[in-house]
Amino acid sequence: VGTEGLKPVTTVALGDEPRGIAISKDGTKAFIALAGEESVAVLDLKTLQVAKRFGVGQEPRHVAQTPDGSRLV
């Protein structure tokens, strides 16, 4: 979303039912909970490409990073 007018500047196809999102401590990645796919997508914020997906179990709704950045919860 652009800062002027709060309008989308691009769209990224992530998967089914995106829910919670967390940004990495260094600001280079976004972690998106995909409830419909029972996974989390890792989005590279520079390229806007999905770098990785991993299964997490039934319908994840939220995602957060630990304070030291070593884990997602």
Side-chain angles (χ1 to χ4, degrees):
V1 174
T3 56
E4 240 178 81
L6 298 177
K7 294 183 181 178
V9 293
T10 192
T11 301
V12 178
L14 294 170
D16 193 27
E17 294 184 57
R19 298 291 184 220
I21 184 170
I23 306 298
S24 64
K25 286 183 70 168
D26 63 7
T28 62
K29 298 179 214 74
F31 305 99
I32 301 100
L34 300 172
E37 297 183 14
E38 299 182 345
S39 67
V40 169
V42 181
L43 181 68
D44 181 310
L45 292 176
K46 189 170 188 170
T47 65
L48 298 180
Q49 298 293 314
V50 175
K52 184 177 182 178
R53 291 178 193 270
F54 51 93
V56 295
Q58 189 175 5
E59 295 186 31
R61 300 283 182 195
H62 309 282
V63 62
Q65 195 172 35
T66 57
D68 66 1
S70 66
R71 296 178 188 226
L72 292 175
V73 293

